[in-house]
Amino acid sequence: MDATLTKRVEQLRHWLAQHDYDALLIPHEDEYLGEYVPEHNERLHWATGFTGSAGAAVITRDKAAIFVDGRYVVQVRKQVPAGLFDYCHLIDEPPVQWAQQQLPKGAKLAIDARMHSAAWYKRTQRALDGALTLVSVEQNPIESLWDDRPAPLNSPAILLGEEKTGRASLDKRQTIGQQLADQSLDAAVLTQPDAVCWLLNIRGRDIPRLPVVLTQAIIKQSGDVTVFIDPARLPEGFDAHVGQGVSVAHPDSLVDALQALSGQRVLVDPNGANAWTLDTLQQAQVTVVEAQDPCALEKAAKNPQEIAGMQACHVRDGVAVTRFLAWFDRQVDAGERPDEAVLADTLYQFRQQDDQLVDLSFDTISAAGGNAAMCHYNHNNQPKPSVIESNNVYLVDSGGQYYDGTTDITRTVPVGECSAEIKKAFTLVLKGHIALATALFPKGTSGSQLDALARQYLWQHGYDFDHGTGHGVGHFLDVHEGPQRISKAPNSVALLPGMVVSNEPGYYRADAFGIRIENLELIEEKPTEGDMTMLGFASLTRAPIDRRLVDVSLLSEAEIQWWNRYHQTVWDEVSPHLDDQDQAWLKQATVPLSR
C-alpha cells in the first residue's frame, strides 16, 4: 500500500477527530467549479492519487471511498489503493448517499463550500433532510497539510484586440449593465473565469487547455466592473484596453466587496457560483436573484469578427489534421504500428507549425482498437500506450486553442481492412452526422429537440451512444461552452445564430472498437421558399472523413451529395497549404463518392 497516501488519510482522520467531524467530502472541483483544475488545486489527487478529471472522495474516521464515473473504473483501480479506499460509482452511488449509509443520523459531514456549487448545496440539503449535517469549514484541511503544494501559475493576462474579439469591452459591459437594469438588478457576481475574460477581452494561461486567468468580477447596472486579480498580472496598456469603468482589486478583497452589496438586488448563477459566494451574500442581507450568468448567451452567440476567426483557424487546423492523417496512412502502408502516445504527439507537432497556436483545447483522445470504445479514453492514464491494431480502427479526438478561435475534431480511420460490421456502424454514424448537419429548424428550437436526428439510424439497428451529440464551443475560450448543447437531456436554451456546437454522434462496442465523427458547426440563418427563415448549420471543420469506412449502399443520394460538397470544400480550402505529397493524399481522400 502507498505509504504517502496512507499517511495523508491518517492526517485527515486526525483532523476530523480534532474538530469533532465524522467525515470529509473532497470533490475534484476547485473554487471556480470549472472543468479544468490547475495543478495547485488538485486536492482530490493529493488525497487519493487519482488523476482523472471527475470524481470525489469521502473519508470517515474508519472508512474511505472514492467515486468515479464509467470513464475511470479501470484507471481508479490502478491509481488508488484498494486497501485504503472502496471503489464506488459517482452516479449510481453518489458520495453523500454513501456517507449517509455509513454514518449515524445527524453525523457531521465537513465540506469546503467553495468547492461546491450553490445549486448542489441546496439540492443536497433538501435531500439529506437532517439525516446528515453539512458543516462548511473555514479552512480546507488539505491546504494546511499539503506541504509541497505547487505554486499557482499566475500567468500574465493576454490582451485580445478588437480585431479578434469584434467588440470593445466597454460595449459588452454596457450591454450587460442594461440587461441588469431592465430586470431591476443592481449588480451581478461573475464567478466563471471564461465569462470575465470574455467581458474584458483578456485571456491567460493559468490552466492547461483553458486560456483564462483565474479571476472573478462584479458588474454593476452602470456597466462598471470590479475585477479581482493581482494588479501585477495585468500588462501595460490594460486600462486603455478595457476602457473606462473597470476597477482592479486584489482577490483577497472579494469578501469585503460581496458584503458591500448589502441591501442590493444581485444576480448570481447558482450553477456557476460556489455555495460560499451565495452564503456570503445572504449573510450580508443581499437580495440574491438566482439566474443564468448574464454573459452566457452574449458569449455563446459569436459576432462576425469572432466567426471569421473561427473559420480561419479551422482551415489552418484542418491543414494540420490532414497532414497528420496523410502521415498516419504512410506509417500504416510501411508496416509501422506507432503507439497512441506517438500518434498524439505527432498530431500536436503538426499543430505547432501554426504560430497562432496557444495550446491544445483538451487532452488528445488517441485510442487504438478496443480503447476507442471508451469515449473519454486517455492513454496517459494507462501503464503503457497501446499500438494501433491491424484490421481495426484508430480514433483521434483533438483540438487547438488559437488566438482567433478554438477547434475540436474527431476522426476515425482504418488500419488495414476493417470488417463489414465496422463499416456498417461507421456509415450509420455518418448518416446521423449528415442528418444533423443538414437540419433546418425554426427559431426557438433547443438542442434537445434535434438530438434524435443524429441517433435515428443507429436506433433503427438497435444501437446508440452514451454521450451528448453536441456541446457549445467558445471563441479562444472553453471548448465545452454552455449554455447550449445537443443531447437527450432536456435543455430549454434556444439555439441562436452565431453559436458554435459540435456534431459528434458515435458508436462504441466494448473491448472491440469505437467510432465517432465530429465536426464543429456554426448556426446561421437559412432562407427558404416557405413562410419563414429557418436556422441551420454550416460546418466549420475542414478535414476529410475517411471514405474507406463508408458502405455507400447504405447512403441516400442526398447524403452522397452532402459528402461530395463537404469534401470539395475541404479540397478547395486545405489543398493550397499542403506540399505535393500531402496534396496527392488529400486528392485521393476527397474523390467524390458514387454508387
Side-chain angles (χ1 to χ4, degrees):
M1 189 179 299
D2 189 301
T4 299
L5 291 176
T6 300
K7 179 183 176 182
R8 290 173 180 175
V9 171
E10 289 173 351
Q11 288 176 311
L12 291 171
R13 286 184 171 140
H14 178 69
W15 176 86
L16 289 172
Q18 273 186 315
H19 294 83
D20 194 27
Y21 300 139
D22 298 288
L24 172 67
L25 172 57
I26 308 169
H28 178 259
E29 290 77 12
D30 67 1
E31 51 266 49
Y32 298 97
L33 305 182
E35 178 182 4
Y36 301 103
V37 175
E39 187 181 9
H40 73 280
N41 282 345
E42 287 279 7
R43 298 173 180 89
L44 183 64
H45 175 232
W46 179 89
T48 67
F50 177 64
T51 61
S53 64
V58 176
I59 296 175
T60 75
R61 296 197 191 190
D62 57 3
K63 287 190 175 182
I66 185 161
F67 303 79
V68 299
D69 60 28
R71 292 173 289 173
Y72 297 114
V73 291
V74 175
Q75 176 184 334
V76 72
R77 294 175 183 274
K78 296 175 180 176
Q79 294 182 325
V80 182
L84 202 55
F85 288 86
D86 293 338
Y87 305 124
C88 300
H89 196 282
L90 186 63
I91 310 302
D92 298 341
E93 189 181 10
V96 174
Q97 180 181 312
W98 180 88
Q100 193 172 343
Q101 293 168 350
Q102 303 297 322
L103 300 171
K105 183 177 175 62
K108 290 183 284 189
L109 175 60
I111 66 165
D112 185 337
R114 298 173 302 157
M115 313 299 155
H116 303 276
S117 73
W120 174 90
Y121 187 80
K122 281 190 172 183
R123 285 196 311 270
T124 304
Q125 286 279 47
R126 285 196 299 267
L128 285 174
D129 192 26
L132 292 178
T133 301
L134 289 185
V135 181
S136 298
V137 301
E138 291 187 13
Q139 174 68 43
N140 191 307
I142 292 176
E143 293 170 10
S144 60
L145 296 171
W146 194 349
D147 295 330
D148 56 350
R149 186 180 183 187
L153 286 178
N154 289 338
S155 64
I158 299 168
L159 306 183
L160 208 60
E162 285 182 52
E163 75 281 359
K164 295 286 196 299
T165 67
R167 287 180 71 186
S169 172
L170 181 59
D171 176 43
K172 294 179 181 180
R173 290 184 280 111
Q174 289 175 338
T175 298
I176 300 298
Q178 186 59 53
Q179 292 175 4
L180 297 176
D182 292 344
Q183 300 172 67
S184 301
L185 293 165
D186 297 295
V189 180
L190 307 179
T191 60
Q192 293 296 299
D194 65 324
V196 180
C197 288
W198 170 85
L199 187 65
L200 300 179
N201 289 340
I202 62 175
R203 301 293 190 268
R205 304 194 68 171
D206 285 7
I207 316 175
R209 315 313 187 211
L210 179 60
V212 298
V213 289
L214 290 173
T215 183
Q216 298 178 325
I218 297 173
I219 182 168
K220 298 292 188 69
Q221 188 185 90
S222 63
D224 289 352
V225 165
T226 301
V227 57
F228 297 91
I229 186 171
D230 184 346
R233 301 180 61 193
L234 299 175
E236 185 178 351
F238 173 80
D239 291 341
H241 176 77
V242 295
Q244 62 185 17
V246 176
S247 302
V248 178
H250 195 277
D252 292 344
S253 66
L254 175 61
V255 63
D256 293 333
L258 295 176
Q259 291 170 345
L261 296 170
S262 179
Q264 300 183 40
R265 286 172 49 83
V266 177
L267 184 152
V268 176
D269 187 335
N271 294 304
N274 60 43
W276 174 89
T277 299
L278 199 66
D279 182 62
T280 301
L281 290 169
Q282 290 172 337
Q283 287 192 30
Q285 304 302 307
V286 172
T287 300
V288 174
V289 177
E290 296 186 12
Q292 182 177 272
D293 185 316
C295 297
L297 284 177
E298 292 283 334
K299 175 165 59 70
K302 278 63 180 172
N303 62 49
Q305 196 65 28
E306 290 173 318
I307 291 170
M310 292 291 273
Q311 291 168 333
C313 77
H314 273 84
V315 172
R316 301 195 311 274
D317 196 73
V319 171
V321 173
T322 298
R323 286 172 172 163
F324 168 76
L325 294 174
W327 171 87
F328 179 90
D329 268 7
R330 291 194 290 270
Q331 295 294 301
V332 172
D333 291 345
E336 300 292 333
R337 293 296 182 263
D339 69 32
E340 297 160 332
V342 168
L343 293 167
D345 291 345
T346 302
L347 177 52
Y348 182 39
Q349 289 163 13
F350 280 115
R351 280 196 169 98
Q352 284 181 306
Q353 294 176 25
D354 185 346
D355 61 8
Q356 293 289 299
L357 183 75
V358 177
D359 195 0
L360 299 179
S361 55
F362 56 96
D363 289 342
T364 298
I365 298 172
S366 175
N371 292 337
M374 296 180 274
C375 57
H376 291 96
Y377 174 78
N378 189 332
H379 64 273
N380 290 319
N381 295 329
Q382 308 305 313
K384 184 179 180 182
S386 298
V387 299
I388 55 175
E389 299 176 12
S390 297
N391 305 320
N392 205 334
V393 292
Y394 167 68
L395 183 152
V396 57
D397 186 352
S398 67
Q401 292 285 7
Y402 299 89
Y403 283 112
D404 52 355
T406 302
T407 69
D408 183 0
I409 173 176
T410 307
R411 289 297 181 259
T412 308
V413 296
V415 182
E417 181 60 35
C418 290
S419 68
E421 187 67 16
I422 288 177
K423 292 179 180 179
K424 173 186 172 183
F426 183 91
T427 309
L428 295 176
V429 170
L430 173 64
K431 288 170 71 69
H433 180 96
I434 296 173
L436 185 58
T438 56
L440 294 180
F441 48 94
K443 295 176 182 178
T445 301
S446 69
S448 57
Q449 293 173 289
L450 301 179
D451 183 74
L453 294 175
R455 299 178 190 268
Q456 58 182 313
Y457 302 103
L458 289 163
W459 284 352
Q460 288 172 10
H461 291 262
Y463 302 152
D464 201 1
F465 54 94
D466 191 20
H467 59 73
T469 299
H471 55 82
V473 178
H475 172 259
F476 186 29
L477 272 175
D478 197 338
V479 74
H480 298 134
E481 178 182 79
Q484 76 276 20
R485 66 179 185 273
I486 302 173
S487 69
K488 291 179 182 178
N491 179 9
S492 61
V493 176
L495 299 174
L496 300 174
M499 284 181 171
V500 174
V501 295
S502 65
N503 173 1
E504 51 181 309
Y507 175 67
Y508 312 91
R509 185 166 294 174
D511 302 319
F513 63 87
I515 293 162
R516 186 159 64 252
I517 302 170
E518 178 185 18
N519 281 359
L520 296 192
E521 312 276 359
L522 171 68
I523 300 172
E524 57 184 20
E525 292 188 343
K526 302 279 189 177
T528 72
E529 297 179 358
D531 297 332
M532 66 184 78
T533 296
M534 304 294 275
L535 297 179
F537 298 110
S539 296
L540 291 169
T541 304
R542 296 289 184 258
I545 302 168
D546 205 294
R547 61 186 291 111
R548 294 166 295 184
L549 290 171
V550 178
D551 182 345
V552 182
S553 70
L554 297 176
L555 296 181
S556 68
E557 286 303 321
E559 290 165 341
I560 291 174
Q561 290 174 17
W562 177 91
W563 174 283
N564 291 338
R565 285 195 306 271
Y566 174 75
H567 283 89
Q568 184 63 51
T569 301
V570 170
W571 169 257
D572 291 343
E573 297 187 16
V574 172
S575 64
H577 306 284
L578 302 176
D579 63 22
D580 291 345
Q581 185 181 33
D582 290 340
Q583 197 175 83
W585 179 92
L586 182 61
K587 188 68 175 177
Q588 182 182 25
T590 56
V591 169
L593 280 181
S594 61
R595 294 197 186 280

